[in-house]
Amino acid sequence: MINRVLIRLKIIQIVYAYYQNGSKNLDSAEKELFFSLSKAYDLYNYLLMLMIALTDYAQKRIDAAKAKLKPTKEELYPNTKFVDNKFVAQLEVNKQLMEFIANQKRTWANDQDFIKELYEKIVVSDVYKEYMASADNSYDSDREFWRKIYKAFIYNNDSLDQVLEDQSLYWNDDKEIVDTFVLKTIKRFEEKNGANQELLPEFKDDEDQEFARRLFRRTILNSDYYRHLISENTKNWDLDRVAFMDVIIMQTALAEILSFPNIPVSVSLNEYVEIAKLYSTAKSGSFINGTLDGIVNQLKKEGKLTKN
């Protein structure tokens, strides 16, 4: 699940903190990097649990309505299509997710106000009304319903962002990327797999884990050389006047360009320019792109960089 886009973001955050905190303990900083990445995987599981929590809340509403002294006919015989959703029923017994819940002991129980608010927005939506009125009771229909609900109500939700931020500072910048993994997971679910449906692994393979470790260490250990290159290529700029985050982004980009021969230069440049747009000043993207492009051309002329 943890892809290289997320790895790059986390490394820049940890490298920035490494210099700002002044501790200069490389091993501790590396541990913090991998702990931070593990927290992103926790968020992935926690967001999967949110769909179960919403379903549980809906069931409690049905039960409470039936238990009234004089329930209406609609309350006695409600449309249970939402709570009987086959995709959520499969998610609820998923072995990997159940293991996460048992180990982490995380629940949405303390955020029932948010669950109520989100549920009430869902039930007045056209997506919900069309689903509840449809005669299609297939697994595919149930799974597609939750994909639409996730995109419409969970993917970009300020109230949810606040709830998550209150729970973990590590989740501040992760949700947008993790959302894409949750949507990918919903799409990959198959009824035939039952409780054994595989969730996305924390790391795709050992190569990505090693990529994180090596990129982080090279960024720190070769910092003097990278900053020398940056200083030489920032015309009319004293390096001290360049935004510190821009320096960190370029330092990390150079570590990747010079340490990973199989990653094309254009891929690395594009990735770090996008990160600059997200994390630094309005003009940082073009500034970093121009500076790194100049450094790459210089290194190629000197024969220190041979890849394209």
Side-chain angles (χ1 to χ4, degrees), residues 1 43-48 51 87 147 150 154 175 177-189 200:
M1 183 215 81
L43 177 58
Y44 164 72
N45 283 276
Y46 197 52
L47 288 170
L48 289 172
M51 292 179 279
F87 163 73
R147 190 191 68 81
Y150 198 98
I154 300 173
K175 185 173 177 291
I177 293 176
V178 174
D179 277 335
T180 65
F181 299 139
V182 175
L183 287 167
K184 184 177 180 180
T185 300
I186 295 170
K187 197 172 180 180
R188 285 178 50 168
F189 257 60
L200 298 180

Side-chain angles (χ1 to χ4, degrees), residues 200-217:
L200 298 180
E202 184 168 355
F203 284 95
K204 182 181 70 178
D205 49 38
D206 292 341
E207 191 178 324
D208 274 359
Q209 203 162 356
E210 182 55 31
F211 170 78
R213 182 174 286 106
R214 185 155 40 126
L215 179 58
F216 173 71
R217 285 190 167 264

